[in-house]
Amino acid sequence: MRVAVIVFPGSNADVDMYNAVEDCMDVPVDYVWHNETDLSEYEVILIPGGFSYGDYLRCGAVARFSPIMEAVKKAAEEGKLVMGVCNGFQILLESGLLPGAMLRNTSLTYRCKLSSLKVANSETPFTNAYEQDEVIQIPIAHGEGNYYCEEETLARLTANNQIVFRYEGENPNGSLDNIAGITNERGNVLGMMPHPERAVHEWMTSADGRRMFTSIMTAWREKNGVTTYA
Amino acid sequence: MCKAIVYVTLRESVLDPQGHAVQGALHSLGFNGIKDARIGKYIELTLDTADRAEASAQVKEMCEKLLANTVIENYRFELVEE
């Protein structure tokens, strides 16, 4: 298995994401520049945080037209795992791979803090190592994480168990239904505002994000019938 | 040549945190008659065509594809002869 970390002009959490894959998954990982058009050799595609194209116009609005995004769409259609964090989530929304859109935080301020999340669905390829309803600590760092969608969309997300993370306690951005992360209907594309790649060692204040990466490994092994013997 | 003036605004059903803050600031300045404040974007595009029908079709496509996110925003535009 090979993992791709997509890099746009203005990405800034790409190194964190790359290091987290190396530290938690122990599989080959490559940076893939936004001008590339082929992701066929990758099983897992990670879209990191940052300020792609300076967040001009709207967060993720310009990045979604990067050449690599066609390959990301193709990978998603093939059932490969795609995870977008923070600006990566915004790009997935703008590209239509996930439903909804982002608004400015209701506080109008950039929030950078450790936040509590409740795992609302522990049966996704990204969260199978967590307990259902477990509360975990993952840092956030964003000014536009106020998730919004139409009522019908929210009803659909709820009915299909597509809401994966909700803020527990304080909602830092005013998102609808305290949403912090969602998947697509098929469950192979996940977007979340908090940064699990910044919580993979105890010295990072929390190591709760580590299990997202081990979940991906487990999901991949199950899908490919690989058994590991201790 | 013609110029397209594009206005992008948040849909009415969508809460506008910036507009809300501006409304509060105006209230605190003593402007009490404000029922609502909404903030949007104003975009000027200079097109190298004089054909209004063509320009209109092009700008509509630009709005749908990039300039507005129709999940949360509405758009309208005017064409002005240069």
Side-chain angles (χ1 to χ4, degrees), chain A residues 32-189:
Chain A
V32 178
W33 187 234
H34 72 117
N35 273 340
E36 299 285 329
T37 53
D38 183 15
L39 286 167
S40 54
E41 64 177 303
Y42 299 98
E43 301 294 326
V44 176
I45 322 292
L46 304 176
I47 309 180
F51 298 86
S52 57
Y53 296 90
D55 275 354
Y56 294 156
L57 195 63
R58 294 180 308 277
C59 306
V62 181
R64 68 163 280 209
F65 293 107
S66 275
I68 196 67
M69 286 311 293
E70 281 305 313
V72 173
K73 275 186 189 161
K74 185 162 174 271
E77 279 161 18
E78 288 168 356
K80 291 180 176 180
L81 299 184
V82 177
M83 176 167 92
V85 168
C86 201
N87 189 224
F89 186 9
Q90 294 162 340
I91 294 168
L92 291 174
L93 292 171
E94 282 284 340
S95 66
L97 282 169
L98 292 173
M102 283 300 172
L103 298 167
R104 290 280 293 271
N105 293 354
T106 43
S107 63
L108 294 179
T109 54
Y110 186 91
R111 303 295 306 275
C112 183
K113 64 185 274 273
L114 197 63
S115 68
S116 297
L117 305 182
K118 188 180 260 187
V119 181
N121 183 357
S122 64
E123 289 179 0
T124 78
F126 308 93
T127 54
N128 59 53
Y130 298 100
E131 299 292 328
Q132 180 70 25
D133 295 332
E134 184 179 347
V135 175
I136 59 173
Q137 306 295 317
I138 307 278
I140 56 157
H142 61 253
E144 304 201 25
N146 180 354
Y147 178 81
Y148 174 86
C149 65
E150 299 279 318
E151 248 172 68
E152 308 86 78
T153 309
L154 180 64
R156 215 168 50 237
L157 289 175
T158 311
N160 295 332
N161 255 337
Q162 289 171 247
I163 301 169
V164 177
F165 295 111
R166 285 196 181 88
Y167 297 106
E168 176 75 4
E170 192 217 2
N171 178 337
N173 50 41
S175 64
L176 202 63
D177 199 24
N178 297 320
I179 286 173
I182 58 168
T183 63
N184 62 347
E185 204 171 331
R186 191 171 171 184
N188 66 315
V189 178

